Every structure is written in structure tokens, then in C-alpha cells.
């Protein structure tokens, strides 16, 4: 099979759009997701995590039935670790410990 490749750059007609900003150059406080024709607009800002969740779902469905419970446990442990990191991080921010502590009340 023959593949044809362009060996010279296209002519610069002045209409070339600027490259998109890198992820660390974006002001995430004011960033809004692009509105395309794909589904309803998302709430909030930040990166779109739907492809990540779709990948996890595809991986889960591709596994044999015997391994799905182990995979679900792995995903659960990753999410619990992420939650622990989110809970731990505010203590490291300038300002220290929060002034009010929330009491965990068990529900029976």
C-alpha cells in the first residue's frame, strides 16, 4: 500500500489559527469548556473526565467475569486514595488547620 505524505509545509496565508494553550497556561478559574454539538453542556469548569470514565468502563467490560470484581476493587481503592489526598491537601495550604472541625456522626 502506498502512502502519500506532504513533505513541504502548507503555504502561510496568515489564516492559521494560533496553537491552543498548554494545560498549565490556562486560567482554570475562568476557563469554560468549548460548546460543541456533543451532548448537553457540562456544569463547572476543569478538564472533561468523560473519556477517562469511558475508558474505565471499556476496560471493565473487556475483562473476564472472574476479574471484574478485582478490577472494581482496584478502582474503588484508587478513588478512596484520591479522596484521602483531597482531604489531606488543605492541611498543607497556607493558613493551616481549619478553625472549625466537623464531627463525623455515624448513621445507624
Amino acid at each position: 500500500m502506498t502512502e502519500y505524505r506532504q513533505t513541504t509545509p502548507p503555504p502561510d496565508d496568515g489564516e492559521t489559527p494560533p496553537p491552543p494553550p498548554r494545560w498549565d497556561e490556562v486560567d482554570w478559574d475562568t476557563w469554560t469548556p468549548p460548546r460543541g454539538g456533543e451532548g448537553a453542556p457540562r456544569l463547572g469548569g476543569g478538564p472533561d473526565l468523560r473519556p477517562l470514565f469511558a475508558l474505565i468502563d471499556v476496560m471493565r467490560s473487556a475483562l473476564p467475569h472472574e476479574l471484574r470484581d478485582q478490577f472494581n476493587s482496584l478502582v474503588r481503592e484508587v478513588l478512596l486514595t484520591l479522596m484521602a489526598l483531597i482531604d489531606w491537601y488543605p492541611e498543607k495550604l497556607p493558613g493551616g488547620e481549619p478553625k472549625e472541625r466537623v464531627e463525623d456522626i455515624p448513621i445507624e
Side-chain angles (χ1 to χ4, degrees):
M1 184 162 109
T2 305
E3 290 186 36
Y4 297 100
R5 289 192 238 165
Q6 184 174 356
T7 57
T8 59
D12 185 19
D13 56 1
E15 298 292 323
T16 308
R22 294 181 358 192
W23 70 270
D24 58 345
E25 296 173 341
V26 175
D27 182 10
W28 292 107
D29 293 333
T30 59
W31 181 81
T32 57
R35 297 197 183 255
E38 194 178 301
R42 295 181 307 116
L43 298 176
D48 187 7
L49 297 178
R50 288 180 292 183
L52 176 64
F53 296 137
L55 176 66
I56 291 172
D57 193 40
V58 167
M59 288 175 59
R60 179 183 294 126
S61 64
L63 288 173
H65 184 65
E66 298 81 28
L67 294 177
R68 286 187 189 168
D69 289 336
Q70 292 179 3
F71 183 77
N72 289 340
S73 296
L74 173 68
V75 171
R76 178 178 168 78
E77 289 298 321
V78 168
L79 292 174
L80 287 172
T81 303
L82 181 62
M83 186 174 72
L85 285 172
I86 291 171
D87 290 341
W88 167 81
Y89 188 72
E91 296 172 1
K92 299 297 178 187
L93 291 174
E97 291 281 325
K99 295 178 182 162
E100 296 180 21
R101 282 305 219 173
V102 176
E103 180 182 347
D104 190 17
I105 302 173
I107 299 175
E108 296 181 27

